[in-house]
């Protein structure tokens, strides 16, 4: 395969950065029995738990000396992370002992936002909130309670939703990681949830912009698949086990540096490239014909009910996505497109991975369907090494909700953040803010509870959220730190940190097997047992305070009791195992593959004790013979040309057609703003915890010498044209605003692009968030904000 001059200049310049990245492993692996040389005297204990700092939910092992957490390492028993832990997980000790951490509830004492607070007890905070909620419910407006919650999959989300259901409000708003993949799966497969990927057993992983080693659902899942403790480390890549990895990306990222092959691509053209690859697969007869014939609709032309001939996927792709045309749009050479298609055929099972980087664009839904079509064409659905729909852990359901008349009436009210988009929920947090900040008079929300949500920092429209918070009569934050949004609260009831509380931690949706991790207290709460309260325990106490059917719906005295109750479902399921060694995991899996499962525990209490000691439960068997795991559409077949989407496009009346509109979805620059803004996530910064874990600032991306100060990246060619040099301070300016950053001239940046990491800030708090510059564009069918349609200019600061 030969490269074009453009490809060579772009990729060759980035090779130097790769070496620095390879030298910095990014993950620390823990042995089963770790004996650190820096042993210190004192009463010592090592306890297994689960990290809750990001959706990955990796297993951890805390080292506690004299009641102090002194080290966080990986738990080798956890099947997904297998003893690995990223820098954020390791740095959790800094967060636990951060001097600015809130260790007691605070109530506002003065004007909102002025920073005047007085401390109260946790019981006093629950009583204050309970009185407010009792009064709101008594007034006949339970729907005026809203919850804005960050990622909290598992029992915490279940408790929040159950509390809101019993109280009578439909306004639980998830401000989590909405990447839109659930919409793609719903349309094609009739299964409305995010897909899982069996990376470990794939022959080829073709990643469309997905930051697998940076800020994906689980970077540790990727690390394990491509070189974890089960593979030979310290040897050449040619000797290493694991799949071949190709990263298609708009920039030379940390993930691209770890790939076997990097393919630079024009922003907004992922879907076009996917269909270009499909063209070669179909033309060269490299597809799985049997799978398509048995399980797929829409591949061949068909006649509708009126007798009219409809163009199928095969005809459409062969007519519109010839390699030369695709190359002109994407910037990827014809030779490279052909090579990618042939690699998928030669390294079976090949799986295409995608997420927000594809779907968070003005034509994102079409592009996501295009990428997913590659998995369908290769027949790699519900197969080992392919795309799967993972089971949920069979935990015991919560007690059935009791609904009284106020609850039923409140639940009948239209949710404040209801979307008008045909598919998906878009950005429900922003819709909530827009509804509350509207000029219609009375706010539809009287009490707002924020749980691991900081919209003033994370939203693309902080000005809307600022106005919305000023309109809500009573705002409560559960943040353990005084973040931007918590400063505007009336009451702060700080959650305990993950090392001080009980919580379950299901594996993320990207992992193909159900894992039910358990997080347990490693140390006592920093301010003492009576100074703080875990939010789960606070919610349960609040339900009892409100009383009636709300109390009956959540009758648990603590989260520990609730989790123990839920674990009874695992014990009775007749499947899976308490987390164990690699040998035990392999043995359990082989037994289940042969239809066997043997109970290990004569009674529940010993099962629960071992589950807590080892860090959780898992079932590593997936039934690849079940046809229901392929599609749950009315026909039971995968729809390459989804009926609901074709109907929605017809109703839209804009002449857009499925797949044919993919090439025209990209936007172009203007003279005032000539550079395309490419925001991206960095693993150590994605959660916005940099100020809480300062050590992370010195964990390199592809720039070992760039940290602490916000930066943006520009190609050498574009920098020269603009008369800018490496290290100069610049303003990044869009039609919505500007922020200041340090310029990094980077050969891995495409010409005319400005790559901008988000999550950084200046020590004095000055904002440097590229999301605040984004225009109003969104994917029209899902309402997902378009990240890559904004253009900017750079000026010297």
């Amino acid at each position: 395969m030969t490269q074009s001059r453009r490809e060579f200049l772009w990729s060759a310049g980035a090779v130097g950065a790769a070496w620095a990245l390879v030298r910095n492993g990014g993950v620390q692996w823990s042995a089963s029995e770790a004996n650190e040389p820096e042993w210190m005297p004192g009463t010592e204990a090592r306890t297994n738990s689960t990290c809750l700092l990001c959706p990955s939910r990796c297993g951890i092992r805390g080292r506690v000396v004299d009641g102090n957490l002194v080290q966080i390492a990986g738990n080798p028993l956890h099947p997904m992370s297998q003893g690995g832990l990223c820098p954020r997980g390791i740095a959790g000790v800094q967060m636990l002992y951060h001097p600015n951490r809130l260790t007691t509830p605070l109530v506002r004492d003065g004007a909102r936002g002025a920073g005047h607070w007085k401390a109260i007890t946790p019981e006093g905070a629950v009583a204050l909130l309970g009185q407010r909620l009792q009064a709101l419910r008594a007034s006949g407006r339970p729907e005026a309670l809203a919850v804005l919650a960050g990622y909290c999959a598992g029992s915490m989300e279940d408790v929040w939703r159950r509390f809101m259901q019993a109280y009578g409000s439909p306004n639980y708003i998830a401000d989590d990681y909405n990447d839109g993949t659930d919409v793609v799966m719903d349309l094609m497969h009739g299964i409305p949830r995010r897909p899982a990927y069996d990376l470990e057993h794939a022959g080829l992983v073709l990643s469309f912009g997905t930051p697998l080693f940076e800020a994906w659902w689980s970077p540790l899942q990727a690390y394990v698949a491509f070189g974890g403790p089960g593979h030979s480390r310290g040897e050449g890549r040619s000797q290493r086990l694991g799949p071949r990895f190709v990263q298609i990306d708009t920039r030379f990222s940390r993930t691209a540096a770890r790939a076997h092959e990097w393919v630079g691509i024009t922003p907004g053209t992922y879907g076009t490239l996917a269909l270009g690859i499909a063209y070669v697969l179909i033309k060269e007869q490299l597809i799985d014909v049997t799978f398509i014939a048995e399980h797929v609709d829409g591949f061949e032309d068909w006649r509708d009910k009126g007798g009219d001939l409809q163009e199928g996927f095969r005809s459409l792709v062969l007519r519109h996505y010839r390699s030369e045309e695709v190359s002109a749009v994407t910037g990827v050479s014809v030779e490279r497109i052909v090579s990618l298609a042939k690699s998928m055929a030669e390294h079976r099972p090949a799986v295409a991975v995608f997420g927000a980087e594809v779907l968070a664009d003005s034509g994102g839904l079409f592009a996501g369907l295009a990428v997913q079509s590659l998995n369908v064409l290769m027949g790699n659905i519900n197969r080992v090494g392919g795309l799967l729909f993972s089971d949920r852990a069979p935990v015991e359901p919560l007690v059935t909700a009791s609904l009284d008349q106020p609850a039923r009436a409140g639940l009948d009210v239209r949710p404040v953040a209801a979307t008008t988009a045909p598919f998906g929920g878009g950005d429900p947090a922003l819709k909530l803010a827009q509804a509350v900040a509207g000029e219609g008079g009375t706010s539809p929300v009287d009490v707002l509870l924020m749980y691991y949500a900081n919209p003033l920092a994370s939203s693309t429209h902080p000005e809307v959220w600022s106005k919305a918070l000023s309109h809500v009569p009573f705002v409560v934050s559960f943040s353990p730190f005084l973040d931007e949004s918590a400063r505007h609260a009336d009451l702060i009831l700080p959650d305990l940190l993950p090392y001080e509380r009980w919580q379950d931690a299901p594996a993320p949706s990207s992992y193909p097997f159900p894992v039910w991790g358990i997080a347990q207290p490693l140390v006592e709460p920093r301010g003492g047992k009576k100074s703080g309260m875990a939010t789960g325990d606070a919610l349960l106490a609040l339900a009892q305070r409100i009383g009636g059917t709300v109390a009956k719906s959540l009758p648990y005295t603590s989260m520990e009791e609730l989790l123990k109750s839920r674990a009874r479902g695992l014990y009775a399921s007749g499947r899976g195992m308490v987390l164990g060694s690699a040998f035990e995991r392999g043995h359990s899996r082989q037994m289940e593959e042969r239809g066997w499962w043997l109970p290990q525990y004569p009674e529940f209490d010993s099962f629960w004790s071992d589950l807590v000691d080892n860090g959780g439960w898992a079932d590593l068997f997936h039934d690849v013979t079940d046809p229901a795991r392929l599609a749950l559409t009315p026909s039971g077949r995968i729809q390459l040309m989804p009926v609901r989407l074709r109907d929605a496009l017809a109703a839209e009346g804009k002449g857009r057609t499925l797949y044919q509109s993919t090439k025209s979805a990209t936007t172009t620059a203007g003279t005032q703003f000539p550079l395309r803004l490419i925001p991206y996530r960095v693993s150590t910064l994605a959660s916005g915890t940099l100020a809480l874990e300062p050590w992370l600032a010195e964990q390199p991306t592809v720039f070992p010498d760039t940290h602490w100060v916000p930066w943006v990246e520009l190609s050498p060619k574009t920098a020269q044209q603009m008369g800018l040099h490496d290290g100069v301070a610049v303003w990044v300016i869009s039609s919505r605003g500007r922020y200041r950053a340090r310029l990094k001239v980077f050969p891995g940046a495409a010409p005319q692009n400005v790559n901008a990491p988000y999550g950084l800030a200046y020590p004095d708090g000055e904002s440097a968030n590229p999301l605040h510059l984004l225009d109003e564009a969104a994917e029209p069918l899902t309402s997902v904000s378009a990240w890559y349609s904004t253009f900017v200019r750079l000026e010297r600061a």
Side-chain angles (χ1 to χ4, degrees):
M1 184 195 73
T2 59
Q3 289 181 305
S4 68
R5 182 175 183 275
R6 173 186 179 277
E7 288 177 312
F8 175 78
L9 290 176
W10 189 3
S11 57
V15 170
W19 174 242
L21 196 57
V22 168
R23 293 171 60 194
N24 294 279
V27 167
Q28 174 177 305
W29 301 101
S30 299
S32 297
E33 293 296 331
N35 295 304
E36 293 85 350
E38 66 274 15
W39 177 86
M40 55 187 294
T43 302
E44 181 172 343
R46 299 174 191 270
T47 306
N48 291 321
S49 188
T50 308
C51 181
L52 302 176
L53 298 184
C54 83
S56 187
R57 302 311 200 223
C58 300
I60 61 173
R61 179 170 292 172
R63 180 186 178 209
V64 177
V65 177
D66 288 341
N68 297 308
L69 182 63
V70 299
Q71 183 190 46
I72 300 173
N75 177 7
L77 305 182
H78 196 285
M80 185 189 71
S81 54
Q82 297 186 20
L85 198 60
C86 75
R88 286 167 63 191
I90 296 170
V93 176
Q94 291 188 334
M95 184 181 292
L96 178 65
Y97 297 113
H98 197 285
N100 293 337
R101 180 186 161 191
L102 303 178
T103 58
T104 186
L106 301 174
V107 64
R108 178 169 57 86
D109 187 23
R112 183 182 284 179
H116 301 298
W117 308 89
K118 64 178 180 181
I120 58 173
T121 64
E123 294 76 16
V126 170
L128 178 62
L129 179 56
Q131 291 169 4
R132 189 85 187 201
L133 295 185
Q134 285 174 323
L136 182 61
R137 204 164 190 265
S139 70
R141 296 183 61 235
E143 71 278 4
L145 170 65
V147 170
L148 182 68
Y151 185 86
C152 57
S155 291
M156 269 309 302
E157 181 175 349
D158 293 344
V159 169
W160 271 116
R161 290 186 181 276
R162 176 55 51 81
F163 178 84
M164 295 294 282
Q165 179 189 20
Y167 185 82
S169 174
N171 293 313
Y172 176 90
I173 293 93
D175 187 24
D176 54 10
Y177 301 83
N178 177 22
D179 63 5
T181 53
D182 57 333
V183 177
V184 173
M185 300 304 141
D186 187 20
L187 289 171
M188 269 195 173
H189 301 266
I191 303 175
R193 65 175 185 263
R194 301 181 186 107
Y197 301 98
D198 188 8
L199 301 181
E200 225 174 329
H201 300 98
L204 169 71
V205 174
L206 191 61
S207 167
F208 284 79
T210 308
L212 293 177
F213 296 108
E214 298 164 82
W216 191 46
W217 289 102
S218 177
L220 259 297
Q221 180 187 347
Y223 275 110
V224 167
F226 294 106
H231 303 287
S232 57
R233 287 181 283 156
E235 303 173 359
R237 277 190 173 183
S238 60
Q239 297 176 297
R240 192 193 69 179
L241 300 176
R244 177 171 176 78
F245 175 37
V246 179
Q247 179 73 4
I248 303 168
D249 212 333
T250 58
R251 59 181 293 272
F252 188 80
S253 62
R254 186 184 183 99
T255 299
R258 293 184 177 278
H260 295 89
E261 181 181 350
W262 169 58
V263 180
I265 187 173
T266 300
T269 64
Y270 287 118
T272 302
L273 178 60
L275 294 175
I277 295 172
Y279 173 90
V280 178
L281 291 172
I282 295 171
K283 193 172 181 63
E284 299 291 332
Q285 299 181 13
L286 302 175
I287 59 178
D288 191 328
V289 177
T290 302
F291 179 86
I292 293 172
E294 293 179 355
H295 302 294
V296 179
D297 283 338
F299 182 71
E300 303 288 359
D301 298 348
W302 78 96
R303 291 192 181 276
D304 60 21
K305 294 179 180 179
D308 295 328
L309 185 65
Q310 300 295 322
E311 189 174 38
F313 184 85
R314 179 209 288 269
S315 298
L316 188 153
V317 169
L318 292 179
R319 187 153 66 93
H320 294 284
Y321 289 93
R322 289 187 289 271
S323 300
E324 294 80 7
E325 297 175 359
V326 169
S327 177
V329 172
T330 63
V332 181
S333 69
V334 172
E335 294 82 3
R336 183 68 69 90
I337 295 170
V338 173
S339 173
L340 291 172
K342 291 187 175 181
S343 290
M344 293 194 76
E346 292 168 1
H347 297 88
R348 298 174 189 260
V351 62
V353 181
F354 65 104
E357 291 68 28
V358 170
L359 287 141
D361 208 349
S362 54
L365 182 57
F366 290 157
L369 291 165
V371 176
Q372 177 61 5
S373 73
L374 296 178
N375 292 317
V376 176
L377 293 178
M378 300 306 294
N380 206 15
I381 308 296
N382 198 44
R383 288 185 178 177
V384 174
L387 180 147
L388 307 94
F389 296 100
S390 60
D391 294 330
R392 295 180 173 87
V395 295
E396 189 78 16
L398 296 179
V399 171
T400 303
S402 297
L403 303 182
D404 56 13
Q405 193 281 328
R408 289 191 294 271
L411 293 173
D412 284 339
V413 177
R414 179 179 170 83
V416 174
T419 181
T420 57
F423 308 108
D427 187 346
L430 181 57
K431 292 184 183 300
L432 170 67
Q434 290 169 337
V436 174
E439 302 298 335
T442 304
S443 167
V445 174
D446 191 87
V447 178
L448 175 64
L449 311 181
M450 297 185 295
Y451 177 69
Y452 287 100
N454 182 12
L456 288 181
S458 63
S459 175
T460 56
H461 290 73
E463 73 285 356
V464 177
W465 263 107
S466 180
K467 186 176 180 181
L469 290 176
S470 69
H471 284 196
V472 178
F474 195 70
V475 177
V476 181
S477 171
F478 293 89
S479 172
F481 295 90
L482 199 61
D483 59 36
E484 291 87 342
S485 302
R487 292 189 180 99
H488 294 268
D490 301 287
L491 173 67
I492 302 176
L493 212 175
D495 195 8
L496 298 182
L497 290 193
Y499 322 106
E500 302 167 322
R501 69 178 192 259
W502 287 94
Q503 189 169 322
D504 64 354
S509 56
S510 63
Y511 192 63
F513 309 106
V515 178
W516 196 70
I518 198 80
Q520 61 173 313
L522 304 179
V523 293
E524 293 291 341
R526 183 177 166 195
K529 288 185 177 181
K530 295 185 178 181
S531 66
M533 180 180 289
T535 300
D537 292 332
L539 266 180
L540 297 177
L542 188 61
Q544 298 305 308
R545 180 89 187 184
I546 295 172
T549 55
V550 179
K552 291 180 181 178
S553 299
L554 287 169
Y556 312 96
T557 59
S558 67
M559 281 298 292
E560 180 181 5
E561 178 195 327
L562 182 148
L563 295 176
K564 187 174 182 178
S565 171
R566 305 209 80 180
R568 292 185 181 277
L570 305 175
Y571 178 73
S573 67
R575 53 184 284 203
M577 59 174 287
V578 167
L579 300 190
S581 66
F583 173 82
E584 291 169 324
R585 293 195 295 267
H587 177 70
S588 175
R589 183 172 186 167
Q590 291 174 3
M591 291 283 287
E592 289 200 59
E593 286 174 346
R594 291 162 174 76
W596 290 88
W597 181 85
L598 299 176
Q600 295 178 279
Y601 299 93
E603 38 77 33
F604 172 74
D605 285 343
S606 58
F607 168 81
W608 170 250
S609 177
D610 276 7
L611 185 151
V612 172
D613 287 346
N614 289 12
W617 171 98
D619 183 5
L620 303 180
F621 170 69
H622 183 92
D623 186 1
V624 297
T625 65
D626 184 359
R629 295 176 182 268
L630 293 173
L632 294 177
T633 58
S635 66
R637 294 165 65 87
I638 300 168
Q639 295 183 358
L640 270 177
M641 308 288 286
V643 175
R644 287 188 294 147
L645 180 54
R646 288 189 286 114
D647 291 343
L649 291 173
E652 185 182 62
K654 296 182 179 179
R656 297 201 301 162
T657 53
L658 182 56
Y659 298 121
Q660 293 183 44
S661 303
T662 304
K663 287 191 291 186
S664 60
T666 58
T667 52
T668 56
T671 55
Q672 186 179 6
F673 302 105
L675 306 173
R676 185 190 294 268
L677 182 67
I678 307 292
Y680 70 90
R681 294 175 287 179
V682 180
S683 60
T684 55
L685 311 179
S687 67
T689 59
L690 178 65
L692 311 180
E693 301 167 296
W695 174 69
L696 296 182
E698 298 191 13
Q699 297 300 301
T701 58
V702 289
F703 311 123
D705 59 340
T706 301
H707 32 256
W708 292 109
V709 178
W711 74 86
V712 294
E713 306 156 15
L714 203 62
S715 74
K717 178 180 178 181
T718 305
Q720 184 180 29
Q721 291 172 345
M722 300 182 65
L724 299 174
H725 60 81
D726 189 76
V728 68
V730 297
W731 288 107
V732 186
I733 305 170
S734 80
S735 59
R736 284 193 58 210
R738 69 177 190 172
Y739 74 91
R740 187 168 54 92
R742 189 74 59 186
L743 180 65
K744 184 68 181 179
V745 177
F746 179 42
Q752 306 307 311
N753 286 352
V754 177
N755 301 326
Y758 75 85
L760 283 168
Y762 288 95
D764 62 0
E766 178 185 345
S767 175
N769 193 339
L771 300 187
H772 296 172
L773 303 188
L774 297 185
D775 59 23
E776 304 294 332
E779 158 58 58
L781 293 169
T782 63
S783 291
V784 172
S785 296
W787 277 31
Y788 310 114
S789 63
T790 299
F791 289 84
V792 299
R793 69 174 183 268
L794 299 183
E795 295 180 358
R796 287 179 179 268

